[in-house]
Amino acid sequence: MTTLIHLFPGQGSQQRGMGRDLFPRFPRLVAEASDILGYDLAALCLEDAEARLGRTEFTQPALYAVEALGHLARVEDSGRAPDFVAGHSLGEYAALFAAEAFDFATGLRLVQKRGALMGAVSGGGMMAALGLPLERLQSLLAADPGLASVDLANQNAPLQTVLAGPVAALEAAGLAIDAAGGRAIPLNVRTAFHSRHMAPVRAEFSGFLDGIDFAPLMLPVIANASGLPHRDGEVALRLAAQIDQPVRWVESVQYLLDEPDPEFLEIGPGQVLTRLLTDIRKAPVPANIARRF
């Protein structure tokens, strides 16, 4: 029998129209979400008349809700729960919901707070570095003292790493990447997510997490901050660390690829994680490479 693994994408996967087939199936949860958020969840996702879906404070609750409902629908339709779950950045919250670490409403309040804190931060940015392996990218950054403020934020695939830091330093890093034969693509983000520059947000969010009771996990959930399964009693610690630490996606997927006959299913809008999975399968890297961040 295959090992069924549900994957949940993070911010950037949102799109207008998401949830169209899900909202009529779960009217009670949709109404509950709208009450908690203070606005109409379905109208935001389906119409986005005020162009708010791309703003972090709206994106995160909306995407979590759609992915959580998508998980419920998939289990209901297939009659089979996944054996493992993992989510990229924000997607980790949908994964934890699937593992019953908290109920739908608690998860929504968590991402509402997370999105509000992260959305309030400005200054800095992010850049995708394509075509260079992690070691080469690390060498480039280490060789220039002017790039010391740039962090490795996400290792998405063996040849795709996202950098975060001050805009001027990122621009300089982009020139070095291009000169080394890679390709640097600035992302439409005005905050250095998953980097040391988010430490104040981590501190505030950590205090919020202290008030949450996390239930024992009913499924193994891979933690972004470690690339290994969450352990009961440490979920809040790992979620706080996720704010200013890199997303170890390559390492997370490699851990799952070691399971017997793994079958991956992306739950959420788009297929970004499915494409990354293909890249990771084609060009595997040593399992400990992301630990050198």
Side-chain angles (χ1 to χ4, degrees):
M1 188 174 182
T2 61
T3 301
L4 180 61
I5 302 161
H6 283 187
L7 301 179
F8 300 91
Q11 189 168 343
S13 297
Q14 73 276 2
Q15 53 189 254
R16 189 171 63 178
M18 68 180 187
R20 187 177 305 280
D21 297 333
L22 297 169
F23 297 146
R25 292 184 59 168
F26 302 99
R28 181 185 63 80
L29 292 178
V30 174
E32 183 178 33
S34 297
D35 287 343
I36 291 170
L37 297 173
Y39 52 82
D40 188 325
L41 172 67
L44 172 67
C45 293
L46 302 180
E47 302 166 14
D48 192 24
E50 298 178 49
R52 299 187 297 182
L53 192 56
R55 289 165 50 187
T56 297
E57 63 268 35
F58 292 98
T59 302
Q60 295 197 11
L63 197 55
Y64 161 81
V66 168
E67 292 179 1
L69 297 182
H71 166 77
L72 293 176
R74 179 65 186 185
V75 172
E76 185 178 279
D77 292 344
S78 67
R80 181 184 175 186
D83 301 299
F84 285 81
V85 287
H88 189 287
S89 189
L90 173 72
E92 189 169 344
Y93 289 81
L96 286 164
F97 166 75
E100 302 181 38
F102 40 69
D103 61 19
F104 177 79
T106 299
L108 188 66
R109 291 187 177 96
L110 280 169
V111 298
Q112 181 184 34
K113 181 66 171 181
R114 182 182 187 266
L117 291 173
M118 295 174 73
V121 178
S122 61
M126 303 183 81
M127 171 182 289
L130 308 180
L132 297 179
L134 182 61
E135 291 106 325
R136 177 61 174 140
L137 193 56
Q138 289 174 312
S139 297
L140 287 177
L141 297 179
D144 186 346
L147 304 182
S149 59
V150 175
D151 286 349
L152 300 165
N154 306 340
Q155 193 199 5
N156 289 335
L159 298 179
Q160 183 189 132
T161 302
V162 175
L163 309 179
V167 172
L170 285 176
E171 290 174 350
L175 294 176
I177 290 165
D178 291 341
R183 186 158 61 104
I185 303 176
L187 303 182
N188 186 24
V189 176
R190 57 189 182 91
T191 307
F193 295 141
H194 300 296
S195 76
R196 79 190 89 163
H197 307 288
M198 298 296 289
V201 173
R202 172 179 177 166
E204 188 169 352
F205 189 55
S206 181
F208 184 78
L209 289 168
D210 287 342
I212 304 297
D213 291 325
F214 293 93
L217 299 173
M218 297 294 103
L219 295 169
V221 183
I222 309 303
N224 284 190
S226 66
L228 298 169
H230 274 282
R231 293 188 292 191
D232 288 331
E234 297 183 359
V235 173
L237 179 67
R238 295 301 182 193
L239 290 180
Q242 190 212 67
I243 296 290
D244 66 352
Q245 296 296 310
V247 173
R248 303 177 184 275
W249 191 247
V250 169
E251 189 175 354
S252 299
V253 171
Q254 287 179 322
Y255 181 94
L256 294 167
L257 285 170
D258 283 340
E259 292 301 313
D261 196 12
E263 177 187 344
F264 294 87
L265 180 65
E266 187 166 355
I267 306 291
Q271 290 288 293
V272 63
L273 297 184
T274 301
R275 291 192 291 271
L276 293 179
L277 173 64
T278 299
D279 292 342
I280 294 169
R281 283 185 186 272
K282 286 192 301 187
V285 296
N288 67 347
I289 190 168
R291 298 193 190 280
R292 297 201 291 273
F293 269 47

